[in-house]
Every structure is written in C-alpha cells, then in structure tokens.
C-alpha cells in the first residue's frame, strides 16, 4: 500500500484509493495487449494464402511470411502463453481441435514455464503452450490475472508507481506485434538461436510455443526441444505400432568361462551346451566351432537373469540351468531359480526352487543311480544351503546349511544316490542323504568332513570326479590331485553324521603348477586335468601316470572346463571365454573377457569389429561366425568406426588417444592423441574425407583424411558443448554434424564452413543424416520411456533402409521401433537375452543382421532381421499381452 494519506483520510478510504489506482493500471494494460494482439491477428490474416482465407474458422500462420519459419503445417494454429516479469496478464489464442496424437510431449514440471536467460542449448530451456477453454478456433481468449498486493521491490527505479507499469506496457506492446511469429524454443546457448525471445543479459525470457514447429520432452526435468521437419504436416502422418520387421537370435559369440564353472557339456545329440548372459547355447559343430562351414546354434532363452551353472541329465537330453538373482527395470527382484528343460524341444519342463534360493544358484547335479530322479542344488547364500529336489514334482525333499565357505562343486555318487559330495574353499564334505520315504521336506542330510591328515590342506578344491571303482579324485589350488578312498567309519575322525563308511586320502600326485580348475573322466577310463597358471591339459592313466599333455596358448587363458566330444574329440573352455576343440592341441579363438562398448560394422561386408575394457580389438566374420583376428590394444577401447573404403578402422581409447589400423595387416598406420579425456565416439563422414572424434573434454575434433584413410591432419575443432560428447552423426552430404552431449544438448555444426556452430537449429530440421545414432532428436524421441533419467538408453541405430530403429537400453533389452519414431510412448518389440546393460547396437551393411553388445556379460549377439526388408518370413505375433508401462512393447 502507499504511504500515509492526508489528514482526515481513514484507513478504509486509503485502501479504496489504492485499489482504484491499481484497477486503472490493469485496465490500461489489458487495452494495450488487446490492441497489439488484434493488430498481429490482422497482419496474419492479410498475409495468409488464399486457400486458408476460404475457411474463416481456421487460424494458421502464413506460408510465405518471412517472419514465420517455413514449414509450419497449415492445420496447426499457434498456441501461446505470455508471461511478463511483473504483470500477470495471460493471453491465449486457442488452436483448432487437432488429432489426438498431436502432442508436445510430457507436461512441464511445476514452475518450468519461466527460465532465466542464460547459456542453454536446444535441450536446455523450456516453453509453455496455453490451452484455452473449449470454443471456436481462432477466438482470442483472455485469462484473468490473479490479484496480488502491491509490495515494494528492491532496486526499483525512481519512476512513480503509476509510471512503471506504463513503461513496462510500452515495452510489451512494442514486442506484442511479433508475439505470434516467434518459435517455441528459448533454449538458445547465449543468444545462438535467433528464434528465441529478445532480452538482454540477466533478463527473463518469455517462453512461447508454436504447435507444429517443435515438440518437447523432459529428461530429469530438463526440457529438450526438437524441431519438426517441414515435410511432416501432422504427427498423425507418422507410423504407429511396432515395426513389421522382427529379430531372431542367430548367433551368440562368447562363453562365460571368466567367472563360472559347470558350464560345458556335450549332449546325446552331439551338441555342445554352454551358457553366456541369460542364454544357454546349444552348438552343433560342423567343420570347427564357429569356423567356416561350422554348424548352427540353438538357444534356450527362458531365463530372466544371468545363468551361472548347468547340469545334464543322465539321459543326455534334459538340462538343468540355474540363474542368479537380479532386478527388472522397475526395481522388482528377480528371484534365483532352476529351470529343467528339454534340449530337443527347448521347452521348460519344470521350474524348481522359485523363492527358495538366495542370491543365486551356485552349483547343480542330477543323481545318476536312479536315472536322474533327483536334483541337488547349492545356492549362493551365506550358509550355502544344500537342498535335494524331486525333479518330476519340483518338490524339496531335504535341506541343510552347508558351510559359510564358498562351495564350488557338487555331485551325486554315480553308484549311490544317498551319497553326495561338495567341495570348495578349504573343504571337501561327504553327505549322506536319507530320503524320508519321499515325503517333501522329511529327508535328512548328514555330513562327514574330509580330513587331510598329513597332507597339506589346500586353500581351494575347485573340482572333483568319481572313478569307476568308487574312489574320488579332487583337484586343488596347490596343483595336486588327491585320491580319496572308502574306509570304515572311525569314531575318532572329526565330523558328524552316521555314515557307515567315509573317505580318506590314499594317494597324492603333483599335477600342475598352480591351481587345477577342471577334471574330466573319459569313456576309456582315463582322466583329464586342466591347469590354471600353467595352462596345461594332461591325460592320466591308472595310478595317476601321465600319458599325454598339451599346453593351451597364453592368449586363450587358463583351462576352465573340459568335456568329451564324439570319438577322441575334446572340448575345452577357458578363462578368456574361448572354446577349443581338437585332440589336446587344436582349437579356435578367444572372445572378450570384460565389458564391451565399441562396435562398428563393415561398410560392405558382413563383418563387425568390437573393443572393450579387456583391451582386445576383435574383428568378427558374421557369415562364418568366426573371429577373423584380434589384437591387444594395451589400453581400453571404447569406440570404433570403419572408413567407407573398409581398408582402415579408427579406434578411440580411454586416454584421449586414437588409432587407425589397416584391417588386412593389422598394423597401426596412425596414432594421435587429442586431450587426456576418454573418447566416446569416432565417425567418418560418408565420403571418407573427414573424421570426427567426440571426447569427454566437451570437444569434437575434426580431421581431414586421405583417400585411403591412412593419413589424417587436424582440420578444426567444434567447441560449444557444455558437457562430454556422447553421440554424433554426419549429414549425407558430409558437410554437417549433429551431436548429443551428457547434459542432453542437441547441437549442429557446419564442418565444411569451418567447424562453426549453427546457432539457428531450426534451419537443420530438414537436413538428411547419413547415419542416425544420436539418442536425442525429433526422429527418435519416441524411443524414450516415461520417467527416464537420461541414462536408460545407451545406444541407438537406424537401419540403412531407414525403416526401423534398434535401441540398446540399461535393462538388458534390445528394442525395435519403426522409423521415424516421433510419437511419445511409441510401441516396440522387446528382445531379452543379455545379462547386463546393452552397450551398443549396429545394423550390418545390408540390414540383414543386427549386432548387440552386452556390458559386463561380455557377450555379442547376432540377430537376424526378419520380415519386411529382411531375409525371412514374419513370425506370428506373440500372444502375450503387451505391456503399456512405461511404453507399449511386446516381449519376444
């Protein structure tokens, strides 16, 4: 309120005068706003094309007006909200009713309609679009301002209270004529966008939005504005529904030998069964595992998290596989469980122990003497619970706490199912199981602890095997093979239980330098042992006499598992995720052993290249399902890209260093360092004349490249991002770049013009891109789920025929969307199998296959693209109900 009044004026009269003055000011303000908007409306109608003038009910911006950005759909009317810095007047021009699919994305969070001016990118500010009450299109509606008291302001000018509103109204009127002609984006970086509202440094910017020009999404509350191409008149024109193309898992590269056991067996059919990630692979050799002319693969994909162990039924057909605990994308726990399934039909026969195990399933074994009627399971809880289950009914017959130490192996005595052996950290336990007449939970388990006596007690006993005569061989961390023979029970022997017989050490043989990881009984009665440190594979005869041996090359790693194939053939799994096949010598090649991130596909061959934290650079043959070659980078590789000629490949490392290698000779032809931060993306231009390198130092380095790709010279730098570079793509003419950054910016660069930042991002809305791997952009914003924190999508790739988009997410899934995907909550086909976050996806040159990389599971999946534009028929639509949260999807 104003100061004290004159003599005789009471408080009531003083308040009345104050209210009267404010009402006069507001009336004048509204008159000015109405006049300005009426003039703007008159100008729009005068400049509108004749076709739009025929429909007096449609309000549309003129197509030929230089002030209106070209490409505004004539069916979309402007919707605006004007928010001043002091006045609260709000004026809305109501748009005509539009199609239900036309949307500006998720609603803005509270308070997000006003942003202080500053340095912001296309994904940086916010805008507001008002929606009036229902009424005819084109009617001007006035939103009444809220009433407020007149409080003094700090730093106010010396003007009188009645003059300050008039000055502000004059400024508002001066800009109101252009109000309807401005774009909805105010997310310019320091005035880089001429479409943003005016205002000097430190002033507040008004936020306007023209429907039909841009759409907006929010990540972590931050608005990201994307401009609609001029060729799209309505979002209803864009494709909806999941794509007609589907994916079928064609091949899985890799084997989980790095950190798991009980992971390699041969079935009755001759197929080799092993696992990686959430997939159990059944591989039929044909000329060599994965080599040219090799056999095919089949896959059991019933698990929801990583598989940790396997057991094969005595019939050689049924398989038990145990998975670890995990969580789904909504944070709900995925409980560990054992699946018993048919290897011929790949159908699940029994689900055992759902809710009964903790953390995961560590070891499995079928009974042998009674044709596999029972299954023994050890979980990964602190007590390592040992349980026996009825395979046909899925009921638990007995359970007991095993030990607080790690349990690495379990097995039934093949001659007596009441005898069970476990081994692990510093122990060998011999269990006697009383079935309790088959009543669930009524059985008992009693334990006898193996006594080492005069022999040195090893730190670990990773493996054991039963001999035909009833003795047991154990391999330990000291490199010794101990023979345990049956003997009468001795009351002085430590341990508990009522077994009439027990086991004691009767012989010892020093077999390896370092730990023994695997033992295998062959059909001819001989035993194979696999060493860790010395990588030796030794065949032992009766009395543990060495008969034959071979050393596994260092680049394959140590022996993890051994299985006997047909005839004299052997299969060996190694700690570097390699599967070797032959007669104690032959084999194929290793895979990756650590997290994978870098992936690129050959420009005209079905080959692809991978790199990761294991410092290996691997070139794979997608047709022969073989590793063409691998080299040690000495540093972590994070990204790669082929030159369009296919002669060289660029690889970005985690130190700011990048290499160019000859794909034939594998020689490094260029070695350059840019900064000291890790490189996240390298990309050649379509014509091969430039190479762009995105770094975590917020810069994009541009190099000129020779015709053969062998020589590079610095051309310039793209400077302007406020966070690290995550993705980038070249335009089809090779002159421009679109880039994303860690703070959700979308920027465009004129490389040919000197690596200049294009301040008017609206002008890039119709530019065509040679590739589309940026995860933020109008054509792909529909792939983002509701409530995303900005890290849910790791990689994205558009097919070369521009029909579909593949997405790698943080929840172990690969998605397939239609392209363009510019509808919120777009439906997709969802494919599981990876046991870790999916780090990258890329289509092969002819779009016949999609390659996806697992992160921690170090797996590589090769998917065949089926259906429209693919190489096979479209499978029938899955019958299960699609999930509608957070986005419509079909789990495949």
């Amino acid at each position: 309120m104003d100061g004290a009044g004159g003599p005789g004026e009471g408080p009531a009269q003083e308040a009345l005068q104050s209210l009267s003055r404010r009402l006069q000011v507001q009336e004048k303000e509204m008159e000015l706003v109405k006049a300005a908007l009426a003039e703007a409306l008159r100008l729009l109608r005068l400049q509108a094309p004749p076709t739009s003038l025929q429909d007096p009910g449609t309000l549309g911006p003129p197509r030929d007006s230089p002030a209106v950005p070209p490409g505004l759909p004539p069916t979309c009317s402007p919707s605006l909200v004007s928010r001043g810095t002091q006045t609260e007047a709000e004026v809305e021009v109501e748009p005509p009713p539009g199609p239900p699919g036309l949307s500006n994305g998720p609603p803005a969070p509270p308070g997000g309609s006003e942003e202080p001016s500053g340095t912001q990118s296309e994904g940086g500010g916010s805008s507001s679009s008002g929606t009036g009450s229902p009424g005819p299109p084109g009617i001007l509606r006035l939103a009444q301002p809220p009433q407020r008291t007149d409080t003094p302001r700090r730093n106010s000018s010396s003007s009188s209270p009645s003059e300050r509103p008039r000055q502000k109204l004059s400024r508002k009127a001066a800009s109101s004529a252009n109000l309807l002609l401005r774009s909805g984006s105010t997310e310019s970086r320091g005035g880089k966008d001429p479409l943003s509202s005016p205002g000097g440094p430190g002033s507040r910017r008004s936020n306007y939005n023209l429907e039909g020009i841009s759409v907006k999404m929010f990540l972590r509350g931050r608005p990201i504005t994307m401009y609609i191409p001029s060729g799209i008149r309505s979002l209803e024109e864009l494709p909806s529904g999941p794509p007609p193309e589907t994916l079928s898992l064609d091949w899985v590269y890799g084997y989980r030998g790095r950190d798991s056991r009980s992971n390699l067996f041969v079935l009755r059919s001759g197929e080799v069964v092993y696992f990686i990630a959430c997939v159990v692979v059944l591989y039929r050799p044909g000329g060599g595992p994965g080599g040219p002319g090799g056999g095919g693969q089949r896959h059991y994909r019933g698990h929801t998290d990583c598989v940790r162990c396997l057991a094969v039924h005595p019939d050689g057909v049924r398989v038990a596989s145990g998975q670890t605990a995990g969580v789904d994308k909504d944070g709900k726990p995925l409980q560990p469980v054992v699946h018993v399934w048919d290897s011929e039909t790949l159908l699940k026969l029994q689900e055992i122990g759902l809710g009964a195990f903790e953390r995961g399933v560590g070891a499995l074994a079928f009974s042998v003497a009674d044709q596999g009627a029972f299954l023994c399971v050890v979980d990964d809880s602190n007590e390592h619970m040992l349980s026996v289950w009825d395979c046909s009914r899925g009921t638990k017959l007995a359970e007991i706490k095993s030990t607080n130490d790690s349990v690495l192996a379990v097995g039934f005595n093949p001659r007596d199912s009441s005898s069970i052996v476990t081994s692990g950290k510093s122990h060998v336990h011999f269990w006697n199981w009383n079935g309790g007449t088959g009543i669930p939970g009524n059985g008992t388990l009693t334990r006898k602890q193996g006594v080492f006596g005069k022999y040195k007690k090893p730190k670990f006993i990773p493996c054991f095997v039963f001999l035909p005569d009833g003795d047991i061989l154990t391999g330990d961390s000291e490199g010794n093979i101990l023979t345990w023979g049956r003997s009468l029970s001795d009351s002085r022997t430590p341990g508990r239980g009522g077994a009439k017989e027990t086991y004691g050490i009767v012989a010892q043989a020093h077999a390896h330098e370092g730990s023994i990881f695997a033992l295998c009984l062959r059909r001819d009665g001989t035993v194979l042992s696999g060493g860790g440190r010395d990588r030796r594979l030794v065949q032992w005869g009766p009395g543990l006499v060495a008969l034959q041996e071979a050393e596994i090359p260092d680049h394959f790693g140590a022996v993890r598992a051994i299985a006997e194939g047909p005839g004299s053939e052997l299969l060996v799994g190694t700690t570097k995720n390699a599967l070797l096949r032959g007669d104690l010598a032959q084999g194929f090649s290793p895979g990756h052993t650590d997290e994978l991130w870098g992936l690129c596909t050959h420009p005209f061959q079905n080959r692809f290249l991978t790199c990761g934290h294991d410092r290996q650079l691997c070139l794979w043959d997608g047709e022969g399902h073989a590793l063409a070659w691998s080299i040690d980078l000495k540093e972590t590789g994070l990204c790669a890209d082929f030159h369009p000629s296919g002669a060289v490949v660029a690889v970005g490392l985690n130190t700011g260093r990048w290499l160019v290698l000859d794909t034939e000779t594998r020689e490094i032809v260029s070695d350059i360092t840019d900064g000291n931060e890790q490189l996240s993306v390298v990309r050649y231009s379509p014509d091969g004349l430039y190479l762009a390198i995105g770094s975590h130092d917020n810069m994009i380095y541009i190099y000129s490249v020779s015709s053969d790709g062998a020589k590079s010279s610095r051309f310039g730098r793209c400077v302007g991002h406020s966070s690290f570079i995550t993705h980038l793509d070249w335009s089809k003419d090779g002159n421009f770049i679109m880039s994303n950054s860690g703070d959700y910016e979308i920027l465009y660069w004129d490389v040919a013009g000197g690596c200049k930042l294009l301040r008017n991002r609206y002008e890039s809305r119709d530019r065509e891109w040679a590739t589309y791997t940026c995860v933020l952009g109008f054509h792909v914003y529909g792939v983002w789920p509701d409530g995303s924190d900005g890290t849910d999508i790791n990689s994205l790739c558009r097919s070369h025929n521009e029909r579909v988009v593949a997405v790698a997410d943080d929840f172990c899934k690969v998605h397939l969307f239609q392209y363009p995907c510019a509808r919120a909550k777009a439906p997709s086909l969802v494919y599981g199998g990876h046991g870790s976050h999916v780090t990258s996806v890329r289509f092969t040159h002819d779009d016949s296959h999609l390659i996806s990389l697992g992160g921690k599971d170090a797996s590589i999946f090769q998917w065949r693209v089926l259906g429209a534009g693919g190489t096979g028929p479209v499978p029938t639509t899955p019958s299960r109900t699609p999930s509608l949260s957070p986005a419509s999807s079909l789990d495949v």
Side-chain angles (χ1 to χ4, degrees):
M1 300 181 68
D2 294 339
E9 290 184 350
Q13 185 177 1
E14 207 171 38
L16 183 62
Q17 290 177 353
S18 177
L19 290 174
S20 177
R21 287 195 298 270
R22 284 194 310 209
L23 181 61
Q24 292 175 3
V25 170
Q26 290 177 354
E27 288 176 350
K28 293 178 181 179
E29 176 183 6
M30 300 311 301
E31 289 175 359
L32 286 172
V33 172
K34 287 180 182 180
L37 290 175
E39 178 64 15
L41 188 61
R42 184 184 68 81
L43 291 175
L44 284 175
R45 286 175 174 168
L46 289 176
Q47 298 179 6
T51 55
S52 62
L53 294 177
Q54 295 175 1
D55 185 1
T58 300
L59 176 62
R63 300 284 296 174
D64 55 350
S65 171
V68 179
L72 176 65
T75 58
C76 299
S77 300
S79 171
L80 65 99
V81 176
S82 170
R83 300 187 186 274
T85 55
Q86 296 180 17
T87 61
E88 300 292 333
E90 189 167 311
V91 182
E92 300 180 359
V93 177
E94 181 164 342
L102 193 60
S103 171
N104 272 11
S113 61
E114 290 190 357
E115 293 288 342
S117 63
T119 303
Q120 298 182 356
S121 71
E122 184 173 342
S126 68
S127 65
S128 302
S129 65
T131 54
S133 57
I139 292 181
L140 206 61
R141 297 189 180 277
L142 178 65
Q144 294 297 330
Q147 298 296 325
R148 60 175 181 168
T149 59
D150 208 2
T151 57
R153 288 180 177 268
R154 292 184 180 182
N155 302 326
S156 59
S157 64
S158 58
S159 304
S160 65
S162 60
E163 291 177 352
R164 284 198 299 268
R166 288 192 179 92
Q167 293 174 357
K168 186 179 64 177
L169 287 174
S170 299
R171 292 194 298 268
K172 180 182 287 291
S175 61
S176 295
N178 294 325
L179 195 61
L180 292 177
L181 306 181
R182 297 195 179 277
S183 167
S185 173
T186 59
E187 294 79 11
S188 60
R189 294 175 49 83
K192 293 173 184 174
D193 191 350
L195 295 175
S196 59
S197 57
S203 67
R204 284 184 177 267
R205 295 172 183 262
S206 300
N207 298 309
Y208 311 121
N209 182 43
L210 273 177
E211 293 187 6
I213 288 183
S214 65
V215 294
K216 179 174 292 187
M217 62 180 287
F218 290 83
L219 289 177
R220 290 188 175 178
R222 180 168 186 170
I224 301 171
T225 302
M226 294 154 286
Y227 294 108
I228 302 174
S230 60
I232 298 177
R233 297 292 182 264
S234 168
L235 298 185
E236 288 296 305
E237 300 176 0
L238 301 177
S240 61
E245 292 83 356
T246 60
L247 299 179
S248 173
L249 187 56
D250 180 42
W251 201 269
V252 177
Y253 299 85
Y255 151 85
R256 186 160 185 167
R258 173 176 51 113
D259 60 354
S260 64
R261 296 168 176 82
S262 301
N263 56 9
L264 180 64
F265 299 92
V266 178
L267 302 175
R268 186 181 67 183
S269 62
E271 291 176 300
V272 181
V273 57
Y274 56 94
F275 59 82
I276 184 169
C278 305
V279 177
V280 183
V281 180
L282 295 89
Y283 168 67
R284 179 180 296 278
Q297 280 186 356
R298 297 188 299 136
H299 310 97
Y300 177 74
R301 298 171 58 195
H303 287 282
T304 56
D305 213 295
C306 287
V307 182
R308 295 307 305 271
C309 53
L310 288 177
V312 175
H313 194 274
D315 63 11
V317 175
R318 282 175 280 179
V319 178
S321 50
Q323 77 173 48
T324 187
V327 293
D328 63 10
K329 63 181 179 180
D330 298 320
K332 297 179 181 179
L334 298 174
Q335 295 177 323
V337 69
V338 174
H339 288 188
V340 179
W341 46 280
D342 190 313
S343 63
E344 294 179 348
T345 62
L346 299 180
L347 295 177
K348 182 169 62 177
L349 305 176
Q350 192 67 259
E351 191 173 74
I352 292 178
L354 184 64
F357 308 127
E358 291 186 22
R359 297 182 184 171
V361 179
L364 291 170
F366 279 103
S367 60
V368 179
D370 46 24
Q371 290 77 48
F374 306 107
L375 182 71
C376 185
V377 183
V378 180
D379 72 5
D380 287 332
S381 64
N382 289 338
E383 297 83 11
H384 296 92
M385 300 299 294
L386 173 68
S387 55
V388 179
W389 299 76
D390 186 318
C391 292
S392 60
R393 300 177 182 177
T395 55
K396 182 165 58 179
L397 304 178
E399 184 179 42
I400 193 173
K401 294 180 181 179
S402 171
T403 174
N404 288 333
D405 294 323
S406 300
V407 178
L408 304 179
V410 64
F412 282 93
N413 190 317
R415 303 195 304 178
D416 181 8
S417 294
S418 66
S419 176
I420 300 172
V421 179
T422 61
S423 70
K425 183 179 180 181
S426 302
H427 76 270
V428 177
H429 290 163
F430 304 95
W431 301 86
N432 184 63
W433 169 50
N434 183 350
T437 67
I439 300 175
N442 199 34
T444 60
L445 285 160
T446 55
R447 183 184 71 182
K448 280 285 187 179
Q449 184 168 327
V451 179
F452 291 88
K454 65 179 182 180
Y455 299 96
K456 181 180 179 180
K457 187 176 183 179
K459 190 173 182 180
F460 289 96
I461 299 96
C463 55
F464 63 84
V465 65
F466 291 93
L467 296 179
D469 60 4
D471 289 346
I472 300 173
L473 299 182
T474 60
D476 60 39
S477 55
E478 301 295 324
N480 296 322
I481 298 179
L482 299 178
T483 303
W484 298 75
R486 282 180 177 270
S487 61
L488 292 177
S489 178
D490 186 349
S491 60
R492 292 172 299 176
T493 301
R496 63 179 185 269
K500 295 182 180 180
E501 291 183 329
T502 185
Y503 284 88
I505 300 174
V506 297
Q508 173 182 291
H510 186 70
H512 294 269
E513 296 298 327
S515 183
I516 299 174
F517 284 163
L519 291 172
C520 174
L521 178 66
R522 303 192 69 177
R523 287 185 292 267
D524 60 6
T526 60
V527 175
L528 292 170
S529 63
R533 185 186 305 169
D534 61 9
R535 306 184 312 280
R536 288 166 58 236
L537 194 64
V538 184
Q539 183 179 14
W540 303 89
L544 292 180
V545 177
L547 303 178
Q548 190 178 359
E549 70 174 67
E551 183 175 337
I552 305 299
D554 179 61
H555 61 274
F556 292 126
V559 177
R560 174 64 75 192
I562 308 171
E564 190 175 22
S568 61
E569 185 176 78
L570 298 176
L571 294 113
V572 178
T574 75
T575 56
K576 287 192 175 180
N577 297 348
L579 285 177
L580 312 180
R581 177 168 162 246
D583 294 322
L584 298 178
Q586 301 179 22
F588 75 13
S589 301
H592 285 284
T593 59
D594 207 343
E595 191 165 350
L596 300 178
W597 281 96
L599 170 66
C600 61
T601 54
H602 198 279
F604 50 84
Q605 297 178 1
N606 283 327
R607 291 188 164 199
F608 58 93
L609 188 139
T610 58
C611 57
H613 289 187
D614 60 0
R615 305 181 179 184
Q616 295 292 313
L617 181 69
C618 299
L619 180 66
W620 303 88
D621 181 358
E623 292 183 354
H625 305 130
L627 181 66
W629 52 258
S630 66
I631 64 171
D632 188 356
L633 293 173
K634 309 298 183 184
E635 296 177 17
T636 298
L638 297 177
C639 51
D641 193 38
F642 279 99
H643 187 269
S645 67
V648 297
V649 63
V651 182
L653 308 180
N654 67 332
T655 57
R657 180 170 164 240
W658 56 276
L659 312 174
V660 178
L661 295 94
D662 189 300
T663 56
E664 293 297 328
T665 65
R666 311 176 211 175
E667 294 180 357
I668 297 177
V669 298
S670 184
D671 186 342
I672 300 175
T673 300
D674 285 306
N676 54 9
E677 299 283 344
Q678 70 181 51
L679 305 180
S680 51
V681 56
V682 293
R683 185 87 69 237
Y684 282 100
S685 62
D687 52 16
L689 298 180
Y690 296 105
L691 173 64
I693 301 164
S695 172
H696 270 228
D697 64 5
N698 305 355
M699 297 184 186
I700 302 174
Y701 298 91
I702 307 297
Y703 281 79
S704 297
V705 180
S706 61
S707 58
D708 59 358
K711 297 180 180 180
S712 305
S713 60
R714 173 76 73 85
F715 179 81
R717 294 185 307 171
C718 298
V719 181
H721 273 293
S722 56
S723 184
F724 58 90
I725 313 302
T726 59
H727 307 83
L728 65 84
D729 291 292
W730 286 91
S731 61
K732 289 185 176 181
D733 58 13
N735 293 328
F736 301 91
I737 283 178
M738 169 176 58
S739 58
N740 293 167
S741 62
D743 57 353
Y744 321 127
E745 293 175 317
I746 310 173
L747 297 185
Y748 301 92
W749 311 87
D750 181 0
V751 176
C755 302
K756 297 178 181 178
L757 174 65
L758 297 178
R759 300 178 181 274
N760 188 348
R761 293 179 303 280
Y762 179 80
E763 294 179 351
S764 297
R765 72 195 188 283
D766 290 331
R767 189 159 286 123
E768 295 184 347
W769 304 101
T771 59
Y772 213 118
T773 60
C774 286
V775 297
L776 297 174
F778 171 79
H779 295 82
V780 297
Y781 84 90
V783 307
W784 287 89
D786 277 350
S788 175
D789 65 356
T791 63
D792 295 338
I793 293 178
N794 296 317
S795 177
L796 176 151
C797 183
R798 181 193 66 192
S799 61
H800 296 87
N801 59 18
E802 302 186 13
R803 294 176 55 91
V804 293
V805 172
V807 171
D809 74 11
D810 228 23
F811 310 106
C812 315
K813 297 294 188 290
V814 174
H815 298 253
L816 204 63
F817 294 86
Q818 286 207 65
Y819 180 85
C821 184
R823 287 172 177 256
K825 301 182 183 179
S828 68
L829 299 177
V830 186
Y831 298 87
H834 284 287
S836 176
H837 52 290
V838 187
T839 57
S840 188
V841 285
R842 290 293 183 270
F843 285 95
T844 55
H845 72 100
D846 57 358
D847 293 332
S848 62
H849 292 85
L850 175 74
I851 310 299
S852 61
L853 298 187
K856 290 293 186 181
D857 63 23
S859 63
I860 305 170
F861 286 12
Q862 180 172 310
W863 307 84
R864 185 177 297 276
V865 182
L866 304 176
T871 57
V874 178
T876 57
T877 302
S879 59
R880 65 190 71 179
T881 304
S883 168
L884 299 179
S885 179
S888 298
S889 61
L890 293 173
D891 291 321
V892 179

